[in-house]
Amino acid sequence: MKVAFATSDFVHIDGHFGSSKQMALYEVDDKGYETLEPLVFSGNLNQDASKQEKLDKLHAKVEALLDCTIVYVLEIGGPAAGRLINKKVTPMKSKSPEDKITDLLDRLVETLKGSPPPWLRKALQKTSESDLEAVLEEV
């Protein structure tokens, strides 16, 4: 599964979903994780942007994350979280801006080796369904 992290330094989960200019991306399974090409967002992502600018940027960010199973952020507003959930992407909040991406990835790998909690099993179903759709498209 693909997992994204809102980050300012590619070390910590310290970004607000709406204003984050970059997302670290990883492919994760029960054997480990692999770093992918990060997503970089441009334009005015700050609070002083107009309402239309914010909506346009939010839409573009959600669309860029559609192939992710989980998006970890420090903060996320209700409308953005709702848009992700409607697209079957699970938003998760870190507990602190000091939380490290690699620590969370290590815990996620260990969780996948065992019995994942219900929310994660449900999120993983999206990955399985998209894999099946890709196979069917090739046939």
Side-chain angles (χ1 to χ4, degrees):
M1 75 176 154
K2 193 180 287 187
V3 180
F5 297 88
T7 181
S8 65
D9 60 6
F10 293 99
V11 174
H12 299 95
I13 309 165
D14 60 359
H16 185 288
F17 181 81
S19 60
S20 183
K21 292 200 178 271
Q22 58 196 16
M23 296 267 182
L25 292 179
Y26 293 85
E27 186 66 41
V28 183
D29 62 25
D30 61 354
K31 294 170 189 61
Y33 55 88
E34 175 186 348
T35 306
L36 303 174
E37 189 71 30
L39 292 173
V40 179
F41 304 98
S42 60
N44 186 359
L45 302 175
N46 297 320
Q47 293 299 325
D48 63 344
S50 73
K51 185 174 182 176
Q52 189 58 49
E53 283 178 310
K54 288 179 187 177
L55 288 174
D56 292 346
K57 298 300 178 186
L58 177 61
H59 178 74
K61 195 172 278 188
V62 169
E63 291 296 310
L65 294 165
L66 287 181
D67 60 344
C68 291
T69 302
I70 306 170
V71 176
Y72 284 93
V73 299
L74 180 61
E75 293 290 333
I76 188 168
R83 284 181 183 217
L84 287 172
I85 291 166
N86 285 339
K87 299 290 187 176
K88 301 195 181 341
V89 178
T90 303
M92 296 291 292
K93 288 173 66 173
S94 64
K95 293 178 176 46
S96 159
E98 299 303 313
D99 286 350
K100 291 186 176 179
I101 293 170
T102 53
D103 291 346
L104 196 136
L105 286 167
D106 290 337
R107 287 195 308 268
L108 194 52
V109 169
E110 287 304 311
T111 300
L112 291 172
K113 286 180 183 178
S115 178
W119 72 266
L120 185 53
R121 284 195 304 268
K122 183 176 180 182
L124 289 170
Q125 285 177 344
K126 174 200 170 205
T127 303
S128 298
E129 289 169 7
S130 64
D131 291 345
L132 177 60
E133 288 170 7
V135 168
L136 291 175
E137 286 176 6
E138 291 176 10
V139 175

